[in-house]
Amino acid sequence: MNSSSRRRRLTAAAVAIVAVATTATACSSGSSSTSNSSSNSGTYTIWDPYPQFGKSSAWAKLLDACGTQAGVKIKRTAFDTSDLPNKALLAAQQDNSPDLLIVDNPVVSTLAEAGVLTTTDDNKLDTSAVDPNLLAAGQSGGKTYGTPIGANTLALYYNKKVLKAAGVDVTSVKDWTSLTAALAKVKKAGKKGITFSAIGTEEGSFQFLPWFWGSGAKLTALDSDQAVSALSLWKGWLAKGYAPNSVLNNTQTTSWQEFATGDYAFSENGTWQLANAAKAGFDYGVIPVPGASGGNAAAPTGGEFVTLPVQGSTGRYTTSQKLATCLTSTKNLYDTDTTLSYVAPTGEVQDKQVSANAQLKPWVDAVKAAKGRTSDDLGTKYPKISEQLWKAMQSALSGSKSPGDALTAAQSAVK
């Protein structure tokens, strides 16, 4: 498209609210100059959501090394994850996009629909080794926009001492019925059952999705019988005292803090808590979230995509593709994903991670079953669906509506 028509389209996109907030890790704010150096063919700009990593970090050194390998200099800008989408839209509107943009995966479809990103057909980025379920988070309208640099997701941490005292063998937890039975035993033994986040934000939706998808429900039908069964499960746990009422206000951080007291049997949380789990002072284990009738439920994927924004000078794509390929190579993915506490997006690197740390096995299993929030070609429809989902959760768990009525209202609002 010509420059003026692209500006008009991006102006419309820029005024839209980017409602999908990051739910995986919290980063402090920070950025440097945002000007692009497109006029200088020897300097390539990279924007990322990792302000916690300074110039001396392994991540910054990797960017520079990839630049050296490609024969160019790297100018890096780090933003808070929640700021990056709007910064990217504004830069595109001004024809000043970075050469590489590393962005939270649910935002990829928003930027793609706005015309900000090139497709892998255009930029020739090879994604053949990436697990299809992870790549789907960056696909829209039959096109792929970038490649994942790593993934995280949700699973159930458990306290071995609490389960032992309650006479629960964790290997017996295979579905919702057996999990609920385990929670009943834990409560009878005088301990607390399970904690999670059901807060009225994207964080709450993120935590509910494994149960929603594990029931067989689809985000295009929030009021299905399967969806009602998932919300009824959570409602029943609160009613029976298996989960605390604090879940209504819990973030994933405060939920983890409850589990860290040592009183709870289970906590739904993510790979980003592994370092805290090691410091908890009690033996723990991890199992994937079970599906309603067994098997591993699909949990939502967190993590970022490496994308190549549209440039006025298409000749820059060749070098940008080399930089993206370097960042996501087998060797570099292993080092980067270890730093970020991510599971790699390719089977080869996942195997390498498990060989180095057997505790990552349940997380790899969870990621293999995981699903992008914008998958199923939901794209920019997802934020509105998610908002209605968390409102339904809040209504049902607070007792203001039944699970069925809450989800019926949610589906009507989405339409």
Side-chain angles (χ1 to χ4, degrees):
M1 69 185 72
N2 63 46
S3 179
S4 61
S5 65
R6 184 164 174 260
R7 281 196 184 97
R8 287 195 297 270
R9 183 178 179 188
L10 288 168
T11 299
V15 299
I17 297 175
V18 182
V20 181
T22 181
T23 59
T25 56
C27 303
S28 60
S29 297
S31 68
S32 60
S33 171
T34 62
S35 62
N36 199 343
S37 302
S38 59
S39 61
N40 182 355
S41 60
T43 300
Y44 277 67
T45 54
I46 297 178
W47 290 6
D48 69 50
Y50 311 128
Q52 70 271 35
F53 298 133
K55 292 181 179 180
S56 61
S57 66
W59 169 248
K61 290 178 180 178
L62 173 60
L63 297 181
D64 288 338
C66 286
T68 299
Q69 184 175 314
V72 298
K73 292 183 179 180
I74 298 300
K75 183 175 183 180
R76 177 205 176 205
T77 304
F79 293 95
D80 181 87
T81 301
S82 60
D83 292 337
L84 193 48
N86 285 331
K87 297 289 188 187
L89 286 166
L90 179 60
Q93 181 186 352
Q94 299 171 341
D95 292 329
N96 196 31
S97 292
D99 293 290
L100 258 65
L101 175 64
I102 302 173
V103 66
D104 196 21
N105 75 68
V107 181
V108 173
S109 57
T110 298
L111 298 179
E113 186 171 303
V116 175
L117 306 178
T118 61
T119 70
T120 52
D121 289 337
D122 295 330
N123 58 47
K124 310 305 179 186
L125 190 60
D126 183 9
T127 60
S128 59
V130 178
D131 287 352
N133 66 313
L134 300 182
L135 191 63
Q139 295 175 325
S140 180
K143 300 290 186 179
T144 301
Y145 298 86
T147 188
I149 198 167
N152 52 29
T153 194
L154 297 165
L156 295 181
Y157 288 86
Y158 62 90
N159 185 318
K160 294 182 178 181
K161 183 178 179 180
V162 171
L163 291 186
K164 183 177 180 180
V168 174
D169 179 355
V170 75
T171 62
S172 69
V173 178
K174 298 181 181 298
D175 52 26
W176 291 1
T177 300
S178 54
L179 175 57
T180 301
L183 296 177
K185 288 184 178 180
V186 168
K187 183 184 178 185
K188 187 176 181 179
K191 291 292 185 178
K192 299 176 182 179
I194 186 169
T195 180
F196 48 86
S197 170
I199 194 170
T201 68
E202 170 65 18
E203 219 165 337
S205 295
F206 187 76
Q207 288 244 317
F208 183 56
L209 281 174
W211 312 95
F212 183 88
W213 283 331
S215 72
K218 296 181 179 180
L219 288 172
T220 51
L222 297 180
D223 56 350
S224 68
D225 290 344
Q226 294 92 334
V228 173
S229 71
L231 190 49
S232 296
L233 178 74
W234 273 18
K235 175 66 176 177
W237 287 349
L238 264 68
K240 295 175 181 177
Y242 300 162
N245 288 327
S246 58
V247 299
L248 279 160
N249 297 307
N250 270 348
T251 63
Q252 292 180 111
T253 298
T254 56
S255 171
W256 178 263
Q257 290 168 349
E258 289 179 335
F259 181 66
T261 63
D263 294 331
Y264 283 84
F266 293 96
S267 171
E268 182 185 357
N269 229 294
T271 48
W272 52 93
Q273 297 292 4
L274 282 170
N276 288 328
K279 301 173 185 176
F282 53 81
D283 287 338
Y284 75 92
V286 179
I287 58 173
V289 176
S293 301
N296 297 341
T301 57
E304 288 79 41
F305 264 61
V306 180
T307 67
L308 279 64
V310 173
Q311 302 292 333
S313 174
T314 58
R316 297 182 69 82
Y317 296 148
T318 298
T319 298
S320 296
Q321 187 262 5
K322 290 179 181 178
L323 293 171
T325 298
C326 176
L327 292 176
T328 57
S329 68
T330 296
K331 177 183 180 300
N332 290 331
L333 273 178
Y334 178 79
D335 293 338
T336 298
D337 289 339
T338 298
T339 298
L340 297 174
S341 293
Y342 281 169
V343 172
T346 67
E348 182 180 0
V349 184
Q350 290 168 1
D351 291 343
K352 188 175 179 180
Q353 288 179 307
V354 172
S355 294
N357 182 0
Q359 290 185 330
L360 289 177
K361 179 62 167 64
W363 291 109
V364 170
D365 290 343
V367 164
K368 284 184 177 296
K371 186 174 182 178
R373 283 163 277 176
T374 58
S375 296
D376 298 329
D377 215 24
L378 289 178
T380 54
K381 298 175 184 176
Y382 173 76
K384 185 175 182 180
I385 293 171
S386 175
E387 180 180 2
Q388 295 306 319
L389 189 59
W390 82 58
K391 286 182 177 178
M393 290 160 45
Q394 288 272 302
S395 294
L397 298 184
S398 66
S400 64
K401 291 182 181 178
S402 70
D405 288 345
L407 288 168
T408 296
Q411 184 62 27
S412 297
V414 168
K415 289 181 178 179

